[in-house]
Amino acid sequence: MNVMPKIESTETGEVDNNLAAVSEVEAGIRDFVRNDIAYLRRPMAVNSTEPILDPSAEATVNNVNSLIQRVAGTSLSEIENLISELEALRDLLHAEGQRVQREISGYAQLSQAAMKSTRMIADNVQQWKRTADGLRNS
């Protein structure tokens, strides 16, 4: 399968050089792929306990490999989605934690103000009581 780019040039020498370069790159890629999967096509040694792969077994291996790649791709995308959801949840929890801290601080200030008011009321009641006792005794 040769893919030849459409080259618009008036010089035939330049076109020939480009085509030769493209063909050389394609040949290099084909050789690399052949060498990379050559172990799948080689028959096993006679002393080996593993059976020789026939074409149907090779097709099965290729199908399994493509299935594994699809499943792994799906799993990776799900993991990435989960990570983004967890990051959003972490941000939400952080914001809620800050809100709760602000509310607790507000309740503490309100409690202190209520304690001061109660103390002032108690002090005033004691003064009124002493004044009332002093008026009765006189």
Side-chain angles (χ1 to χ4, degrees), residues 32 39-40 47 103 122-123 128 135:
F32 176 76
Y39 70 92
L40 293 174
N47 296 339
E103 287 192 18
D123 290 342
W128 292 342
L135 290 175

Side-chain angles (χ1 to χ4, degrees), residues 66-112:
S66 66
L67 176 66
I68 289 172
Q69 288 175 351
R70 282 185 290 182
V71 169
T74 303
S75 297
L76 287 176
S77 66
E78 288 179 5
I79 289 171
E80 289 174 358
N81 288 339
L82 181 61
I83 288 172
S84 64
E85 288 177 13
L86 288 173
E87 287 174 344
L89 184 59
R90 181 192 62 202
D91 294 341
L92 175 70
L93 288 174
H94 182 69
E96 285 298 309
Q98 288 179 340
R99 182 188 63 81
V100 167
Q101 285 179 348
R102 284 191 307 269
E103 287 192 18
I104 289 173
S105 176
Y107 287 131
Q109 290 175 354
L110 181 63
S111 176
Q112 287 176 353

Side-chain angles (χ1 to χ4, degrees), residues 32-50:
F32 176 76
V33 170
R34 283 187 192 130
N35 291 336
D36 192 40
I37 62 169
Y39 70 92
L40 293 174
R41 294 186 179 153
R42 286 189 200 129
M44 293 295 173
V46 177
N47 296 339
S48 176
T49 59
E50 296 180 20

